[in-house]
Amino acid sequence: DSIYTVLLLVGGVLVVIALYEFAFERNTQRNPTGLAVLVAGLAGIGAGVILMHSLDGSDWLTMVVLAASSLVASFGLCLWRYARLAGTPGVRLTPEVTRSVAIGIGALVLAVIAALIFDSTDDTNIVSLITEQGLRAILFMTLMAVGLVYLAIGVQKARDVSPASKALLLGLLGVAVFAMALFIQSESTGPKFRAELFASMSVLALVVLCWAAMSWLFEIRGKEDAGADQLARRVTLIGGLLALAGIIVRLLFAVQEEIDAVDPSRLATFSIRIVWFLAFAAVMTYVLRSTPFGSWIYAVGGNKEAARQIGVPAARTKTQLFMLVAGAAWLVGILLAFRLNTIQAGTGNGEEFEYIIAAVVGGTLLTGGYGSAIGAAIGALIMAMSQQGISYAGWNTDWRFVFQGGILLVAVYANGYVRRVAEATR
């Protein structure tokens, strides 16, 4: 647990530092005072994490220490490396910004009202296949998502008004996320919501609030900086690898106290296939983004004839892709055989439709030339969660086909819209 905590914490801090490096304007001279403040803030974060593990994770003292230390560390980093914002304009809200904020706040209020009106323990059907508690969850999650999205849209629109307006709305967004986290914790009985979801939303709110405060004080970068971007990419890679290593350590190992506290039949729930899944997605992302073969894939998918005319080996690229798909299918089959100790020749037949949906949901265009390995991985997770969720919710399993068809239709229309907008802005 200590290794997992340290790796995850260090990885997360590095990723946040990389985000600051991507966004803020570098100062011509470093301020050593800022470095001292940064070290003090990081020490405070470490003390807060230790305090969190010695007390209840939701203790207010822990949250105050972590929040204050994070703000101090953020200010120290920006004071050390980035230029101060000179002559910040006052806060000014345009009608478009005000409308987005009003819709966002209204949706969040309606989400809370819906959660309070409906009974969270009533499992009687209101309409076909939807219970009162299910309708409560659907309304709350939908309205909360709409509210947060509209607040984010308001932040985006306020960016063109003034830095102070953007910072103010960013702060409002962070406060809204934390308020919803507190409400979810107060209304939930399951540990997944009371602890893990609450902690995740609180961390997100803290990052947004820190970003809002720094945006008020320091200059946002308005032009490219090759040195800063290269450093940020390297720091992001290192931070992501450290966090991934921490998660893998946490999944692969268990201490005796956990073994004694958990039902033996439910202890070993982790599959090595998760590691293969993450590794394959990471390698393919690198191939697509950083190698000539990845560029060839996009070129051949977008326009085969045009790619051939500029020297891309189109036929060879397609053949290699078929071989890669065959190799991936072999890997999945081997992992499945290891898990079941037996396998039927027809296993997987008829699932091609689901694979296509996963790719399209992840942003891959059916016409070719656009997509990403990360998007396909996210699409696969969405499809897997829908299959498991429908079954565990007690619904008729045939509803998963309705869900798959509906989400494919939405994804196709969304992809087509994005492509038209992208082509119009070229």
Side-chain angles (χ1 to χ4, degrees):
D1 285 349
S2 299
I3 296 175
Y4 158 72
T5 302
V6 171
L7 289 176
L8 197 64
L9 180 62
V10 174
V13 169
L14 289 177
V15 170
V16 172
I17 290 175
L19 292 177
Y20 279 103
E21 193 71 17
F22 271 123
F24 288 94
E25 184 75 29
R26 279 184 172 183
N27 202 354
T28 54
Q29 293 182 344
R30 300 286 185 264
N31 188 341
T33 303
L35 180 60
V37 175
L38 171 62
V39 172
L42 294 177
I45 293 174
V49 172
I50 296 174
L51 186 64
M52 179 175 61
H53 283 77
S54 60
L55 299 174
D56 181 6
S58 62
D59 187 84
W60 279 98
L61 176 61
T62 302
M63 290 191 290
V64 170
V65 170
L66 287 174
S69 300
S70 299
L71 284 170
V72 170
S74 297
F75 179 74
L77 174 66
C78 292
L79 185 64
W80 174 39
R81 295 185 61 84
Y82 308 120
R84 293 293 297 266
L85 187 62
T88 305
V91 176
R92 184 170 58 88
L93 301 180
T94 63
E96 293 80 7
V97 174
T98 304
R99 187 182 307 111
S100 298
V101 173
I103 294 175
I105 294 176
L108 294 179
V109 172
L110 289 177
V112 173
I113 293 174
L116 295 176
I117 290 177
F118 293 100
D119 188 357
S120 62
T121 60
D122 191 347
D123 57 356
T124 57
N125 286 344
I126 295 181
V127 295
S128 177
L129 299 177
I130 299 181
T131 62
E132 182 171 342
Q133 62 181 0
L135 181 61
R136 176 180 184 265
I138 292 172
L139 288 176
F140 177 77
M141 295 301 295
T142 302
L143 290 171
M144 183 180 71
V146 170
L148 295 178
V149 167
Y150 266 96
L151 286 179
I153 292 173
V155 172
Q156 185 70 15
K157 292 179 178 179
R159 184 181 63 177
D160 300 328
V161 179
S162 70
S165 301
K166 177 187 174 182
L168 176 64
L169 292 187
L170 266 177
L172 178 61
L173 177 61
V175 171
V177 172
F178 184 64
M180 299 309 294
L182 289 175
F183 180 77
I184 290 174
Q185 187 193 46
S186 66
E187 290 292 313
S188 302
T189 57
K192 292 288 185 182
F193 291 96
R194 290 187 56 81
E196 297 177 16
L197 181 60
F198 172 75
S200 301
M201 294 183 67
S202 298
V203 170
L204 176 62
L206 179 58
V207 171
V208 173
L209 287 172
C210 290
W211 196 279
M214 298 310 107
S215 299
W216 196 295
L217 300 173
F218 295 91
E219 187 76 34
I220 297 293
R221 177 147 56 100
K223 60 182 182 298
E224 291 187 3
D225 187 333
D229 291 342
Q230 184 179 24
L231 176 62
R233 283 192 292 268
R234 291 176 178 175
V235 173
T236 301
L237 178 61
I238 295 173
L241 290 176
L242 289 176
L244 179 60
I247 294 173
I248 292 175
V249 167
R250 184 67 181 86
L251 292 174
L252 287 179
F253 297 95
V255 297
Q256 189 61 43
E257 290 80 2
E258 293 174 319
I259 297 174
D260 296 336
V262 179
D263 181 2
S265 64
R266 301 180 56 191
L267 181 61
T269 57
F270 170 68
S271 173
I272 196 65
R273 293 177 300 165
I274 298 175
V275 178
W276 279 105
F277 171 77
L278 296 175
F280 203 88
V283 171
M284 291 301 105
T285 298
Y286 172 78
V287 170
L288 284 175
R289 291 179 58 88
S290 305
T291 66
F293 181 64
S295 301
W296 294 350
I297 292 173
Y298 285 120
V300 173
N303 190 323
K304 180 180 177 181
E305 296 303 323
R308 181 182 288 113
Q309 291 175 6
I310 62 174
V312 174
R316 188 177 72 183
T317 299
K318 293 185 67 174
T319 302
Q320 290 171 333
L321 286 175
F322 281 122
M323 295 172 64
L324 182 61
V325 171
W330 165 83
L331 176 62
V332 172
I334 290 296
L335 293 173
L336 185 62
F338 286 161
R339 182 172 68 91
L340 300 178
N341 294 325
T342 181
I343 196 168
Q344 299 293 327
T347 301
N349 286 346
E351 296 183 359
E352 298 85 354
F353 183 59
E354 298 178 11
Y355 307 150
I356 296 173
I357 296 176
V360 174
V361 170
T364 302
L365 289 180
L366 291 174
T367 53
Y370 185 84
S372 67
I374 293 179
I378 295 174
L381 289 174
I382 293 174
M383 296 303 299
M385 286 189 290
S386 68
Q387 292 184 9
Q388 296 289 332
I390 290 174
S391 175
Y392 282 124
W395 292 11
N396 188 327
T397 55
D398 290 339
W399 277 96
R400 69 186 180 92
F401 298 109
V402 177
F403 173 82
Q404 291 172 2
I407 198 171
L408 175 62
L409 183 64
V410 172
V412 169
Y413 275 105
N415 287 352
Y417 173 76
V418 170
R419 182 175 186 178
R420 289 193 299 271
V421 172
E423 290 178 346
T425 55
R426 287 180 178 177

